[in-house]
Amino acid sequence: MLYLKERGMESLDLGGYALNTTDEHMQHINEFKDGFNGELVEMSNYISHSLYCYRKLSHCLNPHAQVEEENPQPDHRAHGRFIETIA
């Protein structure tokens, strides 16, 4: 984080946050992110990075095909983004 701060970064997006999850693995990930004392920013249009890349790649390979819409927020995935302010 010091490296980013030295280069003028003011915040760091730590990715998804599984709000109210009962999945123990996701709870541990949330606890790790909570340790940075950042800010949870809720997003209703969150999709995973891999799904975003898949859609972009599919469009590049076949620009006239329609990519099937998948649920961007299945229950086991994140429901927001965890943003850490670099102090």
Side-chain angles (χ1 to χ4, degrees), residues 1-12 85-87:
M1 286 206 194
L2 292 175
Y3 176 84
L4 298 174
K5 183 179 179 181
E6 290 169 0
R7 281 150 185 79
M9 296 288 290
E10 295 179 5
S11 64
L12 174 65
T85 300
I86 300 174

Side-chain angles (χ1 to χ4, degrees), residues 33-81:
K33 293 177 181 182
D34 288 339
F36 290 99
N37 296 317
E39 174 186 0
L40 179 62
V41 179
E42 297 214 32
M43 300 178 72
S44 61
N45 63 344
Y46 173 77
I47 61 170
S48 68
H49 182 70
S50 57
L51 179 57
Y52 172 81
C53 291
Y54 164 76
R55 289 179 177 172
K56 287 292 185 185
L57 180 60
S58 294
H59 179 73
C60 289
L61 295 174
N62 190 354
H64 302 294
Q66 287 202 325
V67 177
E68 244 183 77
E69 284 295 317
E70 296 181 28
N71 182 356
Q73 291 184 333
D75 292 338
H76 66 282
R77 296 298 305 212
H79 293 282
R81 306 294 282 182

Side-chain angles (χ1 to χ4, degrees), residues 15-48:
Y17 190 91
L19 192 61
N20 300 322
T21 186
T22 57
D23 181 308
E24 189 174 335
H25 178 73
M26 296 302 290
Q27 289 174 343
H28 289 299
I29 293 172
N30 286 350
E31 290 169 6
F32 171 77
K33 293 177 181 182
D34 288 339
F36 290 99
N37 296 317
E39 174 186 0
L40 179 62
V41 179
E42 297 214 32
M43 300 178 72
S44 61
N45 63 344
Y46 173 77
I47 61 170
S48 68

